[in-house]
Amino acid sequence: MASMEYSYNDGNKCIVPCLNCNDGPEQAFLQHAATLHGSYNTERLEMKQTEDFLASEMNKLSAQERANALDDVHCVGEELKETPEMIEKGLAEFQKAVEEAKNPVYEMACQQNRSYMEDPTLRLQFLRANFFDVGTSVRKMMNLLQYKAKYFGDDAVARDITLDDLNEEDMELMLSGLYHIQDGRDRSGRVILYIFNHMLGRCRADTLIRVAYYVWVHIVVPIPEVGTKGAVVVFYDLSNPGNQFPGPGLNFAMETMQVTTALPIRNSALHFCLKPRKGGAALSDEILRVGVDTISRHERVRTSLYFGSDLELRYHLQGRGIPTDTIPVDEDGNLVEDILNSWFYKHRNEEFDKFFWKEHSKPSPEYKEKVSAGGCQHEDTETTARNDATMKADGANKEKQHPAGKVEGVQPRDQDVMLGKGKSYQNHPGNIYFRTFLEKYLDDYDKSPRNKRPQVCTKLAHMLKSKGMRFIEQQELEVWVECDSKAAEKKISQLFRSLRKTKK
């Protein structure tokens, strides 16, 4: 097999064959594509405008800069070196630059939560992403705050964005396979993020921006090695014969790229895996050219374009230090559904657990007071002595042990909602959060027509389950089972009626 890759050597584009072929690499590739992939179009293998631009950018570098860029692309680059003195100096200059900027959005954010805006962890994310260039770091943070206010609202600029801030359309895109964080790291220990093209022409720009913000800022950037090593991005074209996807428009691309450039991330290598067939490139030459022109020069000279079949693209990525055993695309170009969203569910559970232990691991004094006064009783207020006794005994046996202890069905977790009677259930962390969550929607529920209220309960049950919550019920002394959607919706309806009585 012969495969073609466009790389750069001393600023000049060259073709590198994977295997020796008497006809030369380009002709061999054309013959191979025509023989094995007759549906591939071989008239236009190059994204000429983009490739010429990337080559010109490489020519502007010094010999050392060019070597550093190629080292990063080939997975042998060095990570960011920092010292305590560098960090201290960078933070001090950052604070001075922020004060001099007098940015209205930043000042608004400080009025909301100054400690959040002055958190060294937040500022170091921008400094590390920009090699401690204070001016660039401050400018990017100010830009990101403006985008954050635009796409999430003014009240969100001085706090972390959570899954609660994403609407149903956002979550649908999140789980569509647009993004994937590969399990494991590349040969240099860098995080690998995939972006697939199948949804780019089917979603709105604001939806993509909210999802991209959440994935980058709250999942990728906090990973410790990202700050020092950067991240690797693989843009992968999923289109195949009979499997075409609409591409994004130029305005869409420009809007999303502008926000992306403000993120506190340094991409150490960008790999564009494209199909050598008419209409097969994930982006048109014009849009791709706009994209690479928008990113920093540091990233532009670390951008590579690969053309080939899915099997050949795997060889390209393998040659760049990316493990092929966990690539989320098989050799036929199909997404591997079993692992596609595993990264998201892992993060979702981590976020949920963090929120629980920080905010809801213990009932608030106000909640305890209500429970003691009987004000937090559900409609079914009858207490079952057997359930209470079981939960108390198990709780005394093991620290932080879930009420059921060892079970044959599902294992109860802190984020689960337990269906049962008595204060022991009400004081379970998941039930406390469940009640707090529904209190925010009580007015909306009451204002809904009676025939629409079941739909409200269905939607809320879906939202809770998307956060990793389960509705579980104890059927035998030590056996818990997960309830179906109807039971969850019934529980929501019951609690709404109980909350309404408490409110009165």
Side-chain angles (χ1 to χ4, degrees):
M1 178 189 298
S3 179
M4 186 176 70
E5 155 193 342
Y6 290 99
S7 60
Y8 301 94
N9 183 13
D10 292 332
N12 298 314
K13 187 167 55 182
C14 64
I15 299 174
V16 182
C18 283
L19 297 176
N20 293 327
C21 181
N22 295 330
D23 294 326
E26 184 169 7
Q27 184 62 33
F29 179 77
L30 294 175
Q31 293 177 356
H32 175 72
T35 303
L36 299 182
H37 306 281
S39 56
Y40 283 94
N41 182 289
T42 57
E43 294 179 359
R44 176 179 174 229
L45 292 177
E46 299 183 67
M47 308 288 283
K48 182 172 176 51
Q49 185 182 26
T50 303
E51 292 182 326
D52 289 345
F53 174 64
L54 293 176
S56 68
E57 288 294 288
M58 290 293 286
N59 280 328
K60 297 175 184 177
L61 300 179
S62 66
Q64 185 59 54
E65 290 172 333
R66 190 179 302 125
N68 292 341
L70 292 173
D71 284 348
D72 281 342
V73 171
H74 290 80
C75 207
V76 291
E78 295 184 356
E79 62 184 73
L80 174 67
K81 303 296 184 182
E82 60 182 40
T83 64
E85 294 76 18
M86 182 190 302
I87 294 175
E88 182 179 1
K89 180 182 178 182
L91 290 173
E93 293 180 355
F94 194 103
Q95 176 62 28
K96 181 179 179 181
V98 163
E99 293 173 352
E100 294 175 349
K102 299 187 183 302
N103 184 283
V105 178
Y106 178 81
E107 292 176 357
M108 176 184 68
C110 286
Q111 291 177 359
Q112 296 178 15
N113 190 345
R114 180 172 294 275
S115 61
Y116 179 89
M117 298 309 304
E118 295 181 350
D119 186 352
T121 301
L122 173 65
R123 296 180 171 188
L124 279 172
Q125 289 176 350
F126 286 92
L127 287 170
R128 286 169 174 151
N130 298 285
F131 295 101
F132 282 80
D133 183 327
V134 175
T136 302
S137 300
V138 172
R139 185 181 70 254
K140 284 193 173 186
M141 189 178 80
M142 299 305 172
N143 289 340
L144 191 62
L145 287 176
Q146 293 177 354
Y147 292 130
K148 194 175 181 183
K150 178 179 179 180
Y151 293 102
F152 293 99
D154 290 347
D155 61 339
V157 293
R159 63 174 176 83
D160 286 341
I161 299 301
T162 68
L163 290 173
D164 284 339
D165 294 299
L166 303 181
N167 59 37
E168 189 172 347
E169 186 178 352
D170 299 336
M171 290 303 301
E172 183 178 351
L173 183 61
M174 177 84 76
L175 298 175
S176 69
L178 172 66
Y179 287 103
H180 179 80
I181 300 175
Q182 186 167 347
D183 187 23
R185 303 289 187 262
D186 73 354
R187 197 163 50 229
S188 289
R190 299 178 298 190
V191 172
I192 310 162
L193 176 74
Y194 287 78
I195 303 175
F196 297 105
N197 68 308
H198 64 303
M199 293 299 295
L200 292 181
R202 299 176 176 176
C203 66
R204 299 186 308 173
D206 60 333
T207 301
L208 175 60
I209 288 169
R210 284 192 295 271
V211 173
Y213 180 97
Y214 185 85
V215 170
W216 280 110
V217 176
H218 294 295
I219 300 181
V220 177
V221 172
I223 299 175
E225 55 264 41
V226 169
T228 56
K229 297 176 181 290
V232 175
V233 177
V234 179
F235 189 99
Y236 200 100
D237 179 9
L238 287 176
S239 60
N240 281 308
N243 188 23
Q244 294 295 303
F245 304 108
L250 184 59
N251 291 336
F252 179 101
M254 292 180 65
E255 182 178 1
T256 54
M257 285 302 300
Q258 286 173 353
V259 178
T260 302
T261 57
L263 297 173
I265 185 71
R266 182 178 73 259
N267 293 317
S268 299
L270 295 94
H271 305 292
F272 284 80
C273 297
L274 309 173
K275 305 291 177 63
R277 174 173 45 80
K278 185 177 182 180
L283 298 175
S284 71
D285 195 10
E286 180 184 20
I287 293 178
L288 186 57
R289 170 67 172 80
V290 169
V292 297
D293 191 30
T294 304
I295 60 179
S296 67
R297 175 178 289 184
H298 172 85
E299 294 172 324
R300 287 198 294 269
V301 298
R302 287 162 174 78
T303 298
S304 301
L305 307 183
Y306 309 125
F307 300 86
S309 67
D310 292 287
L311 180 58
E312 291 163 334
L313 293 175
R314 290 172 69 90
Y315 289 145
H316 284 308
L317 295 177
Q318 185 178 29
R320 299 298 173 262
I322 294 177
T324 57
D325 57 334
T326 54
I327 287 179
V329 184
D330 63 23
E331 296 178 0
D332 296 320
N334 301 311
L335 289 174
V336 183
E337 300 290 343
D338 292 345
I339 65 173
L340 190 58
N341 290 317
S342 57
W343 62 273
F344 169 76
Y345 293 117
K346 177 182 178 182
H347 168 78
R348 180 195 63 183
N349 292 335
E350 290 175 351
E351 177 184 293
F352 208 85
D353 288 342
K354 179 181 178 181
F355 174 82
F356 256 32
W357 290 114
K358 182 178 180 180
E359 302 291 345
H360 294 281
S361 58
K362 296 181 180 180
S364 66
E366 294 80 6
Y367 182 84
K368 288 183 177 180
E369 183 178 349
K370 286 184 178 181
V371 170
S372 299
C376 282
Q377 292 293 333
H378 293 239
E379 266 195 330
D380 48 350
T381 55
E382 179 183 357
T383 301
T384 303
R386 176 178 62 82
N387 288 343
D388 277 352
T390 300
M391 295 183 71
K392 290 178 181 178
D394 288 333
N397 288 336
K398 292 185 178 181
E399 183 181 2
K400 295 184 181 178
Q401 174 64 51
H402 296 286
K406 185 178 180 180
V407 297
E408 298 176 10
V410 300
Q411 177 66 43
R413 305 168 303 175
D414 284 327
Q415 59 263 50
D416 292 334
V417 178
M418 294 181 168
L419 277 60
K421 305 173 182 179
K423 295 181 179 179
S424 299
Y425 286 91
Q426 294 174 15
N427 288 339
H428 177 68
N431 291 55
I432 294 173
Y433 176 80
F434 176 57
R435 183 182 182 87
T436 303
F437 177 83
L438 289 189
E439 284 177 344
K440 297 185 296 184
Y441 295 94
L442 178 59
D443 290 340
D444 293 337
Y445 179 81
D446 285 341
K447 292 177 183 177
S448 301
R450 287 186 177 274
N451 63 336
K452 298 293 184 181
R453 289 179 181 178
Q455 298 178 19
V456 176
C457 294
T458 300
K459 182 177 181 179
L460 292 174
H462 176 75
M463 291 172 62
L464 289 166
K465 288 185 176 182
S466 71
K467 298 173 182 291
M469 296 188 76
R470 302 177 303 186
F471 290 79
I472 61 176
E473 185 175 21
Q474 191 177 35
Q475 292 194 343
E476 298 179 17
L477 186 61
E478 294 186 354
V479 177
W480 288 80
V481 296
E482 184 173 0
C483 302
D484 59 19
S485 297
K486 289 185 177 180
E489 293 163 16
K490 181 180 178 181
K491 181 69 174 178
I492 291 172
S493 178
Q494 289 176 345
L495 185 52
F496 271 136
R497 292 195 294 270
S498 177
L499 289 171
R500 189 186 299 122
K501 291 181 178 180
T502 304
K503 187 177 180 179
K504 293 179 180 178

